Amino acid sequence: MKAVPFNKITLGGYWKNRFDINKSATIPTVYKRFTETGRFDAFKFEWKEGDPNRPHIFWDSDIAKWMEAVAYAITYCPDKQLEEIVDGVVDLIEKNQDENGYFNIYFTVCEPENRFTNRMAHELYCAGHLTEAAVAYYNATGKKKFLTLMEKYLEHIEKVFIKEDSAEFCTPGHEEIELALVKLYDCTGNERYLEMSKHFVDVRGTRQKDEDSPYYISHAYDQTHMPVREMKIATGHSVRAVYLYCAMADLAKRLGDKELLAACERLFDSIADKQMYITGGIGSTSYGEAFTEDYDLPNDVAYSETCASIGLALFARRMSLIDADSKYADAAETAIYNCALAGVSLDGNSFFYVNPLEINLERYRKNKTYYQYKGNLLTERVEVFDCSCCPPNIARMIASIGDFLYTYDDETVYVHHYFESEAEFEGIKITQNTEYPNNGKIKITASGMAGKTLAVRIPGWAESYTIDAPVAKTEKGYAYIKIDSDEKEICLDFPMECRLVMANPAVEADIGRVALCRGPLVYCAEKLDNGETPLNNLSLSASLNAKLEFNNEMQAYTVEADGFEDEAFGSLYRSYSPAKKARRIRFIPYFAFANRGESDMLIWFRI
Amino acid sequence: MKAVPFNKITLGGYWKNRFDINKSATIPTVYKRFTETGRFDAFKFEWKEGDPNRPHIFWDSDIAKWMEAVAYAITYCPDKQLEEIVDGVVDLIEKNQDENGYFNIYFTVCEPENRFTNRMAHELYCAGHLTEAAVAYYNATGKKKFLTLMEKYLEHIEKVFIKEDSAEFCTPGHEEIELALVKLYDCTGNERYLEMSKHFVDVRGTRQKDEDSPYYISHAYDQTHMPVREMKIATGHSVRAVYLYCAMADLAKRLGDKELLAACERLFDSIADKQMYITGGIGSTSYGEAFTEDYDLPNDVAYSETCASIGLALFARRMSLIDADSKYADAAETAIYNCALAGVSLDGNSFFYVNPLEINLERYRKNKTYYQYKGNLLTERVEVFDCSCCPPNIARMIASIGDFLYTYDDETVYVHHYFESEAEFEGIKITQNTEYPNNGKIKITASGMAGKTLAVRIPGWAESYTIDAPVAKTEKGYAYIKIDSDEKEICLDFPMECRLVMANPAVEADIGRVALCRGPLVYCAEKLDNGETPLNNLSLSASLNAKLEFNNEMQAYTVEADGFEDEAFGSLYRSYSPAKKARRIRFIPYFAFANRGESDMLIWFRI
C-alpha cells in the first residue's frame, strides 16, 4: 500500500475549520511564545553565561516542529511571512553549523565539550525533528537548502555513530531520528538513510555502551531494556515508545521485515488492548511520563500526554499502510478526536501537555495527599510550557491531518477516515461529503476507479451500518466495494446513537462506571454545566433519553441525558437505603473540556 | 457525674482475653523493643555525641506511656518484675532531675542550652506523659516518689511558664500536659494543677510569643490558630487536637465552665458528624497527620492514627461524664473496637501507627504516582516504629479499659458499654454477663441500687432492642430503668444482625458503596480469604444472606455474605452490558485485618 499524502487532499467541514484555527491562531501563538522565550534567538548562537533564556537541550526540536507545521500549513495556504521566518532559521542553521556538519544549539553554545556524550540530552532527537522539518519544508516549497544542511549533519552522525562508533552512546535516549531518517529516505530515495534508521533501531537494547551511559529511571524508560524485535509490551516513556514503534513500522514496511512487523503488531496490541485510555491517551503515570502495566488506567492521575496520543495515531497510521485492519484506524481516530484535540483549546491559543480524564478540584484542595499526587496536572490550558513539545506537535498534526485519510494499492483504495474532503491522486478523485465526526452519514463520490475496489472502514464504535452498494467482502473491519462505473456515488451510514461504554473489569479506575460516547467522540461532563453537585454524586441512567444540541464553538453536539443525583442526608453514616433523585446531566465532547475556565470534569460515571 | 475507675471493675470475656494478651505479650514486647532501641538506657543520661541511639525528643513519653500501662496492668495482676523496672526508671529520674526540678532527656543530654526554646520539641508533652504515669503508678502502688518528682518538675514549669513567663513560648506545640495536670489535680486535690491546666488551655492561640515561635505547617496544625473557646471545627494534627479537647472537657467539668463545654460539644460534633472514619479513625492525610475538611475521608490514604482514635475515645469518655448523651459512648465504642484495636495485632506483638481503610497492593505496585501517595502506609504491622507513640498507648488503653464502663451520680448509674464484668463501687455491685461485642444480649445484675436508676445505653448501631424491665424514660440514647429491688436482674437484647451502612454522599470516597457491620464491629474483606479477584471487582448484594462463624483467634465472628464478581471479558472497552456472577464474599472484623500476612483489604464495597 501507498499513502495518499495530505497535499493531495482538500479539506472542508470539520477539519477545514480546525485547519483554519491552527493556521490563524495556533501557529502564530506558538511563534509568539517561542520568540518571547528566546527559542528563535537561540539559533543565533549568541547566548552567553549570564544571559537570560539559557538554551535548553530540546529547543531545536521545538522550533523544528513549528517549522514543520508551517511547511504543512503553507502547502494549503501560501504565506510569505511564515516562509521568511523559516528561511531565516535555515540561514542561521547554515551559518552556525559546524564544518563537520554538526548542528545543535545547546551543545555548541552551552556545553561544546560534551557533544555526543550524554545519551539523555536529546541531540539525536533534535536532529530527527530538524530532519522532519527539512523534508516537510522541501516538499512544501521545493527549497533544498534546509534538506542539504540536514543531510550534511546526518553524514556526520553516520560517521560518529556508525562508521567510527566514537560517541559515548549508541542510540538516542529519546527516539525520533529513526522515523525522521525514513522520511528522508522517502524524500531522497537515498538508501543510506534507511540503513541508518535500521541501524539505530536494531542496535537498541543490545550494546553495553548504552547500558553504561547515564539513564533516567530505567532502561525500560527509553526502550533499551531489550532488542526491539523481542519486545512484547509497550513500556517506558510513552512518547519515546511510540516514536520508536513508528520507525519500526516504517522499516518493517520498507524492508519487508516480518520479524519487525510482528513486534509492531504485538506492541500495538499491547497498547490498544491493555494500556490505552478511552480517549486514546497513553501513559498512566507522571513518573517517567510512562506506560505502567496492563489495565492500570487511573483517570485523575492520567499522564496521557498530547504528544503521546499524536505519536500513537502516527504509529497506527503506519500500521494501516501495512495491514488493512480497522483496529489501526480505530485507534488513530480515538486518539485524534479525543486526547490529541484536547491538547489544544478551541480557539487554538492554549495547550495541555497532560490530558487528565478527571478533574476534581475539591479533592486536590481538601487533601494534601492528593494535592501531592496531582503532580503535573494542569486544570487549565496554558500558552506555553517550559517543556513545549506538545503545542507545535498538535499544530503539525492538524496541518497535515489529510495524511490519515487514504492508502491504496493497485487494486484498492482504502478509506480509513471520514472527513468532508476532496482527494485527487493517480487519476482518481474521491469526494467525501459528511458532517463526521458529528454525523455518521457519508456520501462518497469516486471517479476514475472503475474496475477497482473501494474499501471503507467500518468504525469500531458502529453498532450497525448500511452501505448502499454491494459489498464484495468484509474483512478486518473494512467493507470492500467493487466500483463498476467511472463516477460512483456510495452512501454510508454509521448511525451515531449516544452509547454507553464500559471498561474491562480489570481497569480498577472504571469499575462500575460507564462513559458516554457518540461516534468517535468520548463525552465528559463539566461541573460548570451541572450545578453545584459534585460530579461523582451523579450517575447515569441506562435509558439515556439523550437530547443533542449543536454547539458552534465546539463544532460538535452537546448531550443532555437522564441520570440521578445522590440525595443528601444529615448524618455521616446511616443504614443503607438508596436515595437518588432523577435529573438530567449535561455532557460535552472531551476534546472541548476546560475551554470555559477551570471546572471539575468527569468521563466515567456510575450507572 | 463521677467515673467508676477501672480498678473497681473485674473483667471477663472479651476484654479479659484482650487484657491477658496485653499483659503477657504487648507490655513485654514494647519493653523489649524500647530496651533494644536505647530508650530505657537514655534515662541514665550517659549518652554522648557519637554514641548509638541518640535520644529523641519524645522518648521520655514513650517510656512514660509504657510505665502507665504497667501501672494499670499490675493493678489487676501484681508483677514484681515490672514494678522493679518502673522503680528503676523512677530512680534514674530522681538521680538526673535538675535541682530546679527540670527533667527531660533530650534537652539535658543533647541540647541543654535550648531548654524551653523550641515549642515543637515536645518538652511539655513529655512532662505530661510522665505526670500521667506518676499518677497511675501512685494509684497502683501507693508509692509516692515518682509523683513527688513530677510535682517538683511541674513547680518549675509553673515558674517558667506562668510566674516568670520566661520560656520562648507559652503553650506546648503538642498538647498533653493540660490533661495530665487535671489527672494530677484529681489525684492530689491541689488546685494549683487545675489552674495550670486552665492557664495552658486558655492562653492557647492568644499570645504573640507562640505565633512567633517555630511552627510546623500552620498554627491550625497545633491548634494555636484561635482561642480554644472560639473553636468550631476540629483541625490540625489529630492526636494533638483530641488531647487538647480532653483537657478542655476535663476543665469544663471541674470548673463548671459552660463556654468551654460548648466548645467541646462543637468540636466533638465536628469530628463525629463530619470527620470520622466509619472505624472511628480520624486524620485524613499523612500531611501533618491531620484533619482535613468535612467529609474528606479517603480510605486508601487515611492516616487514622492509632493514638488519634484512642484520644478520640478518651475525649468522648470525658464528655460522657458531663452529658449522658449516647453519641459520646457510640463514638468511643466505634473507635475502640475498630481503629484502636486494629492498631495492635491479635497476638499483641506488632502494631500499626497508620490504620488504612483500604489496602490495594497492586495499585501501589503498578503505578508510581500511587506509590508516592501511599506515604506512611504500612501494610503489615511492625514491632516498633521510630515514632513509637502508638504501641504503649494501645497498651495503656487496654489495661485500663474498664474506665469506659460506668459513670454515676447520686440517682443514676450509667452503663455506657457492655463488657462481661463485675463492678463494685459505693456499695453497688453490677455484674454484666454478655458476649459483647459478638452478641447483643446482656444480662445485668445490679445489687445495692434499690430506689436508684440504671441508665443503659442503646447503641447507635441498634436498629431495635428489647429490655425486660419497665423503662421510665428514654433520653439521648439511654433507657432509664428504675431499680425496685436490692438484687435486680435485667436482660437487654440489641439484636446483632449483619447490616449495611452507607456514608453521607458528601464522602466522595464511599459514594455508591456500603460497609458491612455487625454490632459495634466494622467488617472488611481481605483478599487472602476471597481468591484472586481484586476486591474492587466484588460487590455486595443487599440481601446479604449472611453466615457467621466464630473465630477463636479473633474472638469474633467472621461473616460470609452474598455478593457478585465482575465477569471478565477480552477487550479493553465494550458497549455497556452488566456482567456479574453471584458469589459469596468473606469478611472479618476490621480490627483483625493484616494478621495473616500482607493482603489487599477493603471495607467499602459497591452494592
Side-chain angles (χ1 to χ4, degrees):
Chain A
M1 266 184 277
K2 290 180 196 165
V4 177
F6 75 95
N7 61 15
K8 305 289 182 195
I9 290 157
T10 310
L11 299 170
Y14 185 87
W15 283 105
K16 177 66 165 61
N17 180 56
R18 281 282 182 180
F19 180 91
D20 289 345
I21 293 166
N22 192 41
K23 173 75 171 49
S24 65
T26 305
I27 289 175
T29 290
V30 174
Y31 174 72
K32 182 166 163 278
R33 294 295 296 138
F34 281 3
T35 302
E36 287 165 4
T37 52
R39 281 166 162 89
F40 278 97
D41 276 348
F43 279 80
K44 295 180 184 160
F45 282 47
E46 289 168 356
W47 184 87
K48 296 179 304 295
E49 280 304 341
D51 288 353
N53 297 329
R54 184 173 214 260
H56 194 280
I57 53 167
F58 49 58
W59 276 9
D60 314 44
S61 73
D62 287 345
I63 300 297
K65 268 184 284 187
W66 181 84
M67 293 192 294
E68 189 184 344
V70 166
Y72 300 144
I74 63 176
T75 302
Y76 285 119
C77 262
D79 186 318
K80 274 223 163 342
Q81 218 182 327
L82 287 176
E83 210 171 316
E84 274 166 22
I85 296 167
V86 177
D87 286 338
V89 173
V90 173
D91 287 346
L92 288 172
I93 294 172
E94 182 181 34
K95 183 178 163 205
N96 293 310
Q97 186 170 29
D98 252 36
E99 229 159 272
N100 67 12
Y102 184 87
F103 180 83
N104 183 284
I105 299 172
Y106 182 86
F107 283 100
T108 303
V109 170
C110 303
E111 290 190 39
E113 69 283 12
N114 287 330
R115 286 182 187 178
F116 296 141
T117 59
N118 183 346
R119 198 168 166 268
M120 284 296 138
H122 289 59
E123 275 164 300
L124 295 179
Y125 170 81
C126 286
H129 273 303
L130 286 167
T131 301
E132 279 201 272
V135 170
Y137 196 60
Y138 169 71
N139 287 338
T141 62
K143 295 179 186 172
K144 222 169 172 174
K145 184 157 121 187
F146 194 2
L147 202 62
T148 308
L149 299 173
M150 286 306 107
E151 290 198 68
K152 189 174 169 197
Y153 186 13
L154 289 163
E155 191 172 335
H156 179 61
I157 288 170
E158 186 188 31
K159 178 164 163 274
V160 173
F161 283 87
I162 303 175
K163 293 188 176 155
E164 295 179 352
D165 191 13
S166 59
E168 289 190 21
F169 53 93
C170 302
T171 61
H174 195 316
E175 300 91 326
E176 156 63 26
I177 196 168
E178 301 84 349
L179 72 87
L181 283 161
V182 178
K183 277 199 178 175
L184 186 58
Y185 160 72
D186 287 348
C187 174
T188 62
N190 188 338
E191 298 211 346
R192 149 195 227 168
Y193 302 123
L194 201 62
E195 282 306 310
M196 281 176 77
S197 174
K198 183 170 183 305
H199 168 83
F200 281 124
V201 165
D202 273 339
V203 161
R204 195 159 205 94
T206 67
R207 295 280 302 271
Q208 196 59 39
K209 218 198 257 188
D210 279 359
E211 289 284 315
D212 296 342
S213 66
Y215 65 91
Y216 180 61
I217 299 179
S218 72
H219 287 298
Y221 167 80
D222 63 16
Q223 300 79 42
T224 320
H225 55 303
M226 58 168 64
V228 303
R229 289 163 188 273
E230 296 170 18
M231 289 181 182
K232 290 184 176 65
I233 297 168
T235 53
H237 185 273
S238 52
V239 177
R240 282 169 162 82
V242 288
Y243 282 13
L244 169 64
Y245 308 156
C246 281
M248 289 164 65
D250 282 341
L251 292 171
K253 175 169 175 58
R254 283 156 188 77
L255 302 170
D257 188 326
K258 286 188 180 159
E259 194 183 36
L260 215 43
L261 177 60
C264 288
E265 287 167 343
R266 289 192 304 267
L267 291 165
F268 178 86
D269 291 347
S270 163
I271 297 173
D273 294 349
K274 295 187 176 162
Q275 300 199 77
M276 187 180 79
Y277 285 98
I278 190 172
T279 55
I282 50 176
S284 302
T285 180
S286 58
Y287 189 82
E289 312 178 306
F291 291 108
T292 55
E293 294 202 18
D294 289 352
Y295 303 115
D296 178 45
L297 295 163
N299 294 302
D300 50 354
V301 304
Y303 200 71
S304 184
E305 183 183 337
T306 307
C307 285
S309 66
I310 293 171
L312 172 60
L314 294 174
F315 173 36
R317 184 173 76 79
R318 283 160 167 84
M319 294 303 288
S320 291
L321 266 161
I322 305 172
D323 179 10
D325 186 323
S326 65
K327 69 182 178 183
Y328 300 119
D330 280 342
E333 181 176 89
T334 299
I336 290 168
Y337 283 106
N338 299 289
C339 185
L341 283 187
V344 58
S345 62
L346 293 173
D347 67 8
N349 286 321
S350 56
F351 308 93
F352 272 144
Y353 186 111
V354 168
N355 297 281
L357 283 86
E358 178 183 3
I359 292 179
N360 189 320
L361 299 170
E362 282 296 286
R363 188 193 298 154
Y364 312 139
R365 189 187 61 74
K366 279 183 176 172
N367 198 307
K368 281 280 196 300
T369 318
Y370 290 115
Y371 183 79
Q372 288 169 337
Y373 90 39
K374 189 165 86 75
N376 299 48
L377 178 61
L378 286 174
T379 52
E380 292 194 272
R381 293 184 187 79
V382 294
E383 285 200 348
V384 77
F385 318 97
D386 287 342
C387 179
S388 223
C389 47
C390 301
N393 215 353
I394 188 78
R396 67 178 185 145
M397 184 198 86
I398 292 174
S400 61
I401 194 72
D403 271 350
F404 286 87
L405 208 43
Y406 301 109
T407 60
Y408 65 101
D409 57 26
D410 293 343
E411 297 260 302
T412 308
V413 174
Y414 293 88
V415 185
H416 300 295
H417 297 273
Y418 302 107
F419 301 169
E420 171 78 20
S421 60
E422 279 183 26
E424 290 198 59
F425 58 96
E426 312 246 338
I428 292 169
K429 183 174 171 185
I430 302 178
T431 305
Q432 290 191 32
N433 293 114
T434 181
E435 289 165 18
Y436 206 93
N438 295 311
N439 190 310
K441 289 192 206 317
I442 304 111
K443 186 177 83 180
I444 297 180
T445 315
S447 323
M449 280 191 62
K452 298 199 176 192
T453 297
L454 195 72
V456 299
R457 172 175 146 257
I458 302 155
W461 55 260
E463 293 174 337
S464 67
Y465 63 93
T466 56
I467 297 173
D468 74 345
V471 172
K473 65 169 180 179
T474 303
E475 200 175 275
K476 292 187 184 175
Y478 288 83
Y480 288 76
I481 304 160
K482 285 266 180 213
I483 304 297
D484 48 16
S485 63
D486 209 52
E487 175 92 9
K488 176 76 180 176
E489 197 178 293
I490 302 165
C491 288
L492 315 177
D493 188 5
F494 306 110
M496 275 196 189
E497 300 302 325
C498 284
R499 62 190 203 287
L500 295 178
V501 174
M502 68 192 289
N504 190 299
V507 181
E508 196 204 12
D510 304 334
I511 291 173
R513 292 178 178 255
V514 293
L516 177 73
C517 299
R518 183 173 178 274
L521 303 186
V522 175
Y523 278 72
C524 68
E526 286 195 296
K527 195 173 172 192
L528 53 79
D529 288 322
N530 287 287
E532 279 310 297
T533 310
L535 294 173
N536 267 315
N537 281 115
L538 305 182
S539 53
L540 266 165
S541 164
S543 60
L544 280 173
N545 188 20
K547 197 186 106 193
L548 273 59
E549 195 173 330
F550 194 76
N551 181 297
N552 272 318
E553 207 201 347
M554 299 177 187
Q555 284 291 300
Y557 290 98
T558 60
V559 175
E560 211 183 89
D562 276 354
F564 302 95
E565 175 174 332
D566 296 327
E567 272 188 295
F569 55 84
S571 62
L572 184 50
Y573 303 104
R574 75 168 189 196
S575 287
Y576 171 65
S577 64
K580 293 167 177 265
K581 58 175 180 233
R583 57 163 282 172
R584 300 283 278 175
I585 306 176
R586 299 176 67 184
F587 291 84
I588 60 170
Y590 173 75
F591 71 67
F593 89 96
N595 273 283
R596 296 166 296 167
E598 200 176 42
S599 175
D600 282 14
M601 183 273 291
L602 190 68
I603 291 176
W604 292 97
F605 279 77
R606 285 177 297 138
I607 176 86
Chain B
M1 264 185 276
K2 291 180 197 166
V4 176
F6 76 94
N7 61 16
K8 305 290 182 196
I9 290 158
T10 310
L11 299 169
Y14 185 87
W15 283 105
K16 176 66 164 62
N17 181 55
R18 281 283 182 180
F19 180 91
D20 290 345
I21 293 166
N22 191 42
K23 172 77 170 52
S24 65
T26 306
I27 289 175
T29 290
V30 175
Y31 174 73
K32 181 163 163 278
R33 294 294 295 136
F34 281 2
T35 303
E36 286 165 5
T37 52
R39 282 166 163 88
F40 278 98
D41 277 348
F43 278 80
K44 295 181 184 158
F45 282 47
E46 289 168 356
W47 184 88
K48 294 178 306 297
E49 281 304 340
D51 287 353
N53 298 327
R54 184 174 213 260
H56 194 282
I57 53 167
F58 48 60
W59 276 9
D60 314 45
S61 72
D62 287 346
I63 301 298
K65 268 184 286 190
W66 182 84
M67 293 193 294
E68 190 185 342
V70 167
Y72 299 144
I74 63 177
T75 303
Y76 285 119
C77 260
D79 186 318
K80 273 223 164 340
Q81 216 181 329
L82 287 176
E83 210 172 316
E84 273 167 23
I85 296 167
V86 177
D87 287 338
V89 174
V90 173
D91 288 346
L92 287 172
I93 294 173
E94 182 181 35
K95 182 175 165 212
N96 293 311
Q97 186 170 29
D98 252 36
E99 229 159 88
N100 66 12
Y102 183 88
F103 181 85
N104 183 284
I105 300 172
Y106 182 85
F107 284 101
T108 303
V109 169
C110 301
E111 289 191 39
E113 68 284 12
N114 288 330
R115 285 182 187 176
F116 296 140
T117 60
N118 184 346
R119 196 166 168 269
M120 284 296 138
H122 289 59
E123 275 164 299
L124 296 180
Y125 170 82
C126 286
H129 273 303
L130 285 167
T131 301
E132 280 202 272
V135 169
Y137 197 59
Y138 168 71
N139 287 338
T141 61
K143 294 181 187 172
K144 221 169 174 176
K145 182 157 125 187
F146 194 0
L147 202 62
T148 306
L149 299 172
M150 285 305 108
E151 290 197 68
K152 189 174 169 198
Y153 185 12
L154 289 163
E155 191 173 334
H156 177 62
I157 288 171
E158 186 188 32
K159 177 163 162 277
V160 172
F161 282 88
I162 303 176
K163 292 189 177 156
E164 295 179 353
D165 191 14
S166 59
E168 289 190 22
F169 54 92
C170 303
T171 60
H174 195 315
E175 300 92 326
E176 157 62 25
I177 196 169
E178 302 85 347
L179 72 86
L181 283 161
V182 178
K183 277 198 178 173
L184 186 58
Y185 160 72
D186 288 348
C187 174
T188 62
N190 188 338
E191 298 211 345
R192 150 195 228 167
Y193 301 123
L194 200 62
E195 282 304 311
M196 282 176 77
S197 174
K198 184 169 183 304
H199 169 84
F200 281 124
V201 165
D202 274 339
V203 162
R204 195 160 205 94
T206 68
R207 295 280 303 270
Q208 196 58 40
K209 218 197 254 187
D210 279 0
E211 289 285 314
D212 297 341
S213 66
Y215 63 92
Y216 180 60
I217 298 181
S218 72
H219 287 298
Y221 167 80
D222 63 15
Q223 300 80 40
T224 321
H225 56 303
M226 58 168 65
V228 302
R229 288 162 188 272
E230 295 171 19
M231 289 179 180
K232 290 185 175 63
I233 297 167
T235 53
H237 184 274
S238 52
V239 177
R240 283 170 161 83
V242 288
Y243 282 13
L244 170 64
Y245 308 157
C246 281
M248 288 166 64
D250 281 341
L251 291 171
K253 177 170 173 57
R254 282 155 189 78
L255 301 170
D257 187 326
K258 286 187 180 158
E259 195 184 36
L260 214 43
L261 177 59
C264 288
E265 286 167 344
R266 291 192 303 267
L267 291 164
F268 179 85
D269 290 347
S270 163
I271 297 172
D273 293 349
K274 296 186 175 162
Q275 300 199 77
M276 187 179 81
Y277 284 98
I278 191 172
T279 55
I282 50 176
S284 301
T285 180
S286 58
Y287 187 82
E289 312 178 306
F291 290 108
T292 56
E293 294 202 18
D294 290 352
Y295 303 116
D296 179 46
L297 295 163
N299 294 303
D300 49 355
V301 303
Y303 200 71
S304 184
E305 183 184 337
T306 307
C307 285
S309 67
I310 293 171
L312 172 59
L314 294 174
F315 174 36
R317 184 173 75 77
R318 282 160 168 83
M319 294 303 289
S320 291
L321 266 161
I322 305 173
D323 179 10
D325 186 324
S326 66
K327 69 183 178 182
Y328 299 118
D330 279 342
E333 181 175 90
T334 299
I336 290 169
Y337 283 106
N338 299 289
C339 185
L341 284 187
V344 57
S345 63
L346 293 173
D347 66 9
N349 285 323
S350 55
F351 308 93
F352 271 144
Y353 185 111
V354 167
N355 297 280
L357 282 87
E358 178 182 2
I359 293 178
N360 189 319
L361 300 170
E362 282 296 285
R363 189 193 298 153
Y364 312 139
R365 189 187 62 73
K366 280 183 176 173
N367 197 307
K368 281 280 196 301
T369 316
Y370 290 115
Y371 183 78
Q372 287 168 339
Y373 90 38
K374 188 164 86 75
N376 300 48
L377 179 61
L378 288 174
T379 52
E380 293 194 271
R381 293 185 188 80
V382 294
E383 284 199 350
V384 78
F385 317 98
D386 287 342
C387 179
S388 223
C389 46
C390 300
N393 215 353
I394 188 78
R396 67 178 185 146
M397 185 199 86
I398 292 173
S400 61
I401 194 71
D403 271 349
F404 285 86
L405 208 44
Y406 301 109
T407 60
Y408 65 102
D409 57 24
D410 293 344
E411 298 259 301
T412 309
V413 174
Y414 293 89
V415 185
H416 300 295
H417 297 273
Y418 301 107
F419 300 169
E420 170 78 21
S421 60
E422 278 182 27
E424 289 198 61
F425 57 98
E426 311 248 337
I428 292 169
K429 182 174 172 185
I430 302 179
T431 306
Q432 290 191 33
N433 293 114
T434 181
E435 288 167 17
Y436 205 94
N438 295 312
N439 191 310
K441 290 191 207 313
I442 304 113
K443 186 176 83 178
I444 296 180
T445 314
S447 324
M449 276 192 64
K452 297 197 178 196
T453 297
L454 195 72
V456 299
R457 172 174 147 260
I458 303 154
W461 55 259
E463 291 173 338
S464 67
Y465 63 92
T466 55
I467 297 174
D468 74 346
V471 172
K473 66 169 180 180
T474 303
E475 201 176 274
K476 291 184 183 177
Y478 287 83
Y480 288 75
I481 304 160
K482 285 266 179 211
I483 304 297
D484 48 17
S485 63
D486 210 54
E487 177 92 7
K488 176 75 179 176
E489 198 176 293
I490 302 166
C491 289
L492 315 177
D493 188 5
F494 306 110
M496 275 194 189
E497 299 302 325
C498 285
R499 62 191 203 285
L500 295 177
V501 174
M502 69 192 289
N504 190 299
V507 182
E508 196 204 12
D510 304 335
I511 291 174
R513 292 177 178 257
V514 293
L516 177 73
C517 299
R518 182 173 177 274
L521 303 185
V522 175
Y523 277 73
C524 67
E526 286 195 296
K527 197 172 171 191
L528 53 79
D529 287 322
N530 286 287
E532 277 311 296
T533 309
L535 294 174
N536 267 313
N537 281 116
L538 305 182
S539 52
L540 266 165
S541 164
S543 60
L544 279 172
N545 188 21
K547 196 187 110 194
L548 273 60
E549 195 174 329
F550 195 77
N551 181 298
N552 272 318
E553 208 200 346
M554 299 177 188
Q555 283 292 299
Y557 289 98
T558 59
V559 174
E560 211 183 88
D562 275 355
F564 302 95
E565 175 173 331
D566 296 326
E567 271 188 297
F569 55 86
S571 62
L572 185 49
Y573 303 105
R574 76 167 188 197
S575 288
Y576 171 65
S577 64
K580 293 166 176 267
K581 58 176 181 230
R583 57 164 282 172
R584 300 283 280 174
I585 306 175
R586 299 175 68 184
F587 291 84
I588 59 168
Y590 173 75
F591 72 66
F593 89 96
N595 273 284
R596 295 165 297 166
E598 200 176 43
S599 176
D600 282 13
M601 182 273 291
L602 190 66
I603 291 176
W604 291 98
F605 279 77
R606 285 177 299 136
I607 174 88

